[in-house]
Amino acid sequence: MSPDAASVREDFPVLDREVKGEPLTYLDNAATTQTPRQVYDVFEEFYAGYNANVHRGIHELSHEASLAYEAAHDRLAEFVGAAGGREEMIFTRNTTESINLVAHGLALPEFGPGDAVVTTEMEHHASLVTWQQVAKRTGADLRFVRVTDDGHVDVEHAKSLIDDDVELVSVPHVSNVLGTVTPVSTFAELAHDAGAVLVVDGAQSAPTRPVDVEEMGADFFAFSGHKMAGPTGIGGLYGRKDLLEEMEPFLYGGEMIQHVTFDRSTWNGLPWKFEAGTPPIAEGIALAAAADYLDDLGMEWVRDHENRLAQYALERLNARDDVETYGPGPGEERTGLVAFNVDGVHGHDLSSLLNDRGIAVRAGDHCTQPLHDRLDVPGSVRASFYVYNTTEEIDRLLDAIDDAEAKLDAYLRSDRYADRLY
Ligand code: PMP
């Protein structure tokens, strides 16, 4: 039987709290999702039961912690469809660190003038700024695939940019502002035909849809635990084994070495070569519990639930003539987020007035300043949904937008403030 949001909510006690005397309506899931009991219980089990460093002690607690931490790598490899298991799954702090790992391990040591990196206009800064720095430091060319007016990556433009000079192509699987799902397999083909590797930013897709890195043809796939019902401080990087074997380590120190003398060091096997120092042990084990939790719900159900909520939100927002929404239109596939602006209302004012009604949304540039330049708006308000959200909460959002407008109207359109209208 399919789950329903009402029963899912019971796993998330935080959703029972009030904000400003109103029930919490949490619509900021693209930033961070809430964490179910099944995941945060892992912290108590770990710290009350077998807290110890991994791979170091011969004692029982260390052995138990090591086994659980290693098994968590296998679980996440399975969650994203990596056939190579733990050797292809590196735990990092988040998507940002995962992308930086590829930059430091592969791009910075290898790329030079005459090489090129291709990415898109819809990048999160985690990707855009990283490739910008790679280009600056290596002399490689950085090319951006256009985003069309209806919020898709322009595949024809990509074809014209991806030539034999290109060493790396980096795309977001799902845009954190537009909700667009990128045709990653097409990008994999284009990249591989040009002899380039494909990096997929999966920060918004791993939480929201079934992921199979082999099927999509990704060479690297980066994601964050805190966006997929997991804890903060942990993320992952899938990498193709042969590439990871060739790559330079990102950080140096304990855990990542095999043998050290005063003159030289050799590196540990995968994935430990890329996990220097004491890792986030409890967080890693809890991330595996998050993968179990989502798989129990069913990732197809998660995807469909997200899409249903996004379509409903789009329908209600687009029915107003004072609201502009961004990204794919009604009926088109998108994940559970809608970014929008209300005429004449600054996003920060709106989100602050929504907060007075217990509604959490995000306003600003969502770490995508160049995309907002492309959309020709300084920022947007983003409502983003997850497994526990309901259409009633979207109705509450729409009512609160009406209230906010009425309040701002009364305030700003009074004679006293008329000259401050923007
Ligand atoms: N890429 C995308 C598409 C994102 O939405 C985010 C988070 N907003 C990131 C990268 C960065 O994730 P983190 O802050 O967890 O590193």
Side-chain angles (χ1 to χ4, degrees), residues 30 94-96 124 126 174 176 201 203-204 224 226-227:
N94 46 37
T95 304
T96 305
H124 188 279
V174 167
N176 64 318
D201 172 349
Q204 298 293 341
S224 297
H226 67 98
K227 293 183 196 285

Side-chain angles (χ1 to χ4, degrees), residues 69-348:
Y69 185 65
E70 287 166 12
H73 285 69
D74 291 334
R75 182 66 190 89
L76 269 298
E78 185 193 9
F79 187 72
V80 302
R86 70 182 64 165
E87 289 185 314
E88 294 189 319
M89 177 53 59
I90 299 158
F91 281 176
T92 60
R93 277 192 308 140
N94 46 37
T95 304
T96 305
E97 188 173 296
S98 296
I99 295 173
N100 272 271
L101 193 156
V102 181
H104 282 265
L106 184 134
L108 285 169
E110 299 280 334
F111 297 180
D115 293 333
V117 172
V118 169
T119 188
T120 76
E121 288 180 340
M122 60 165 76
E123 292 317 292
H124 188 279
H125 297 162
S127 156
L128 195 152
V129 177
T130 305
W131 304 127
Q132 204 172 53
Q133 285 305 311
V134 164
K136 280 199 162 58
R137 284 161 67 172
T138 63
D141 190 22
L142 181 60
R143 305 173 185 168
F144 291 97
V145 180
R146 267 195 306 261
V147 171
T148 61
D149 289 339
D150 59 353
H152 293 281
V153 277
D154 183 339
V155 174
E156 289 311 309
H157 188 224
K159 286 180 185 163
S160 72
L161 294 183
I162 302 176
D163 59 26
D164 288 347
D165 292 338
V166 176
E167 297 290 341
L168 184 146
V169 176
S170 180
V171 296
H173 194 179
V174 167
S175 157
N176 64 318
V177 175
L178 304 169
T180 322
V181 184
T182 306
V184 270
S185 315
T186 306
F187 277 88
E189 241 174 72
L190 292 172
H192 295 156
D193 285 352
V197 293
L198 178 70
V199 180
V200 177
D201 172 349
Q204 298 293 341
S205 66
T208 57
R209 56 191 39 247
V211 163
D212 188 323
V213 289
E214 310 260 337
E215 205 177 282
M216 72 174 82
D219 299 300
F220 297 97
F221 181 89
F223 60 96
S224 297
H226 67 98
K227 293 183 196 285
M228 49 177 282
T232 52
I234 183 92
L237 175 71
Y238 156 78
R240 235 177 60 204
K241 188 177 169 195
D242 58 315
L243 291 169
L244 293 176
E245 275 170 343
E246 292 292 307
M247 275 163 59
E248 280 296 310
F250 176 30
L251 297 170
Y252 299 100
E255 283 279 306
M256 54 75 66
I257 50 80
Q258 189 178 52
H259 188 67
V260 180
T261 68
F262 284 117
D263 297 324
R264 61 187 297 272
S265 305
T266 55
W267 311 140
N268 205 344
L270 293 174
W272 321 119
K273 166 183 162 187
F274 292 103
E275 294 191 18
T278 299
I281 305 164
E283 288 80 356
I285 301 167
L287 180 58
D292 287 345
Y293 183 81
L294 292 176
D295 272 343
D296 282 349
L297 292 179
M299 288 309 290
E300 280 88 4
W301 177 81
V302 176
R303 177 195 58 207
D304 295 347
H305 179 70
E306 290 256 315
N307 191 40
R308 263 193 304 275
L309 291 175
Q311 297 302 331
Y312 184 73
L314 261 186
E315 190 185 306
R316 291 236 36 209
L317 286 163
N318 285 343
R320 303 172 61 114
D321 51 18
D322 60 348
V323 167
E324 185 179 21
T325 57
Y326 307 104
E332 283 190 77
E333 188 183 26
R334 65 150 76 207
T335 50
L337 65 88
V338 181
F340 61 95
N341 274 308
V342 179
D343 280 353
V345 181
H346 195 286
H348 287 148

